[in-house]
Amino acid sequence: MTPNDPLKKIKMLLLDVDGVLTDGAIVYDDRGVEIKSFHVRDGLGIRLLIGAGIRVGIVTGRRSEALLHRCRNLGIALVLDGIRDKAAALDQIVLQEHILPENIGFMGDDLPDLPIMRRVGTAVAVSDAHPMVRAAADIITEQPGGKGAVREVAEGILMAQHFWEKALERF
């Protein structure tokens, strides 16, 4: 990590869901119930961040019961779903959470993520993001969405902020 590492200043990591926490596939069962697949390593990364005092939240355009179950399981209390204007959601978060935009990171993958990515302190794109999203990002992950990209960023934050060794103590 460099002295100017953008991960050093993150106090809150906001995540898009489809294409970031999942691989972007939308699956329905025979009854029309949406099924999402989340990577277990991303979940541990989120828990490690929360354990280190880094807040984690969700800002996504779609609503999903599967997402709400996963967030409850991981201890993510800030869930803004069904959001059409993610930049406006950022304004709400800044006021509600008493945090400056420059201390917020956002991970995205597609065009609706661009407005919020342009306004946060650290914009992260997953490796398989749309080219315009990758161009707008401060950081591009090596892993694709839904395949460990969130874990990659979580570990990077923990290392940049010297929380990594403490996080490993429980293992």
Side-chain angles (χ1 to χ4, degrees), residues 15 32 44 69 74 76 82 84 88 106 120 143 165-166 169:
L15 306 168
L44 180 57
H69 287 292
L74 294 174
I76 301 173
R84 290 197 179 272
F106 180 83
V120 297
Q143 298 300 316
E165 294 302 322
K166 179 79 171 152
E169 287 178 4

Side-chain angles (χ1 to χ4, degrees), residues 85-161:
D85 184 347
K86 293 183 181 185
L90 177 65
D91 293 335
Q92 175 187 339
I93 291 165
V94 165
L95 289 173
Q96 176 183 315
E97 300 294 322
H98 307 289
I99 187 167
L100 297 172
E102 59 258 28
N103 294 123
I104 298 174
F106 180 83
M107 285 186 74
D109 74 304
D110 211 347
L111 301 177
D113 300 321
L114 286 171
I116 192 171
M117 289 178 72
R118 291 180 181 129
R119 295 195 44 222
V120 297
T122 305
V124 181
V126 295
S127 66
D128 58 337
H130 186 281
M132 289 179 68
V133 173
R134 289 194 314 268
D138 300 303
I139 297 169
I140 300 171
T141 65
E142 291 184 21
Q143 298 300 316
K147 303 291 184 188
V150 174
R151 174 67 169 272
E152 181 181 328
V153 171
E155 288 186 9
I157 292 169
L158 294 168
M159 288 178 200
Q161 296 186 24

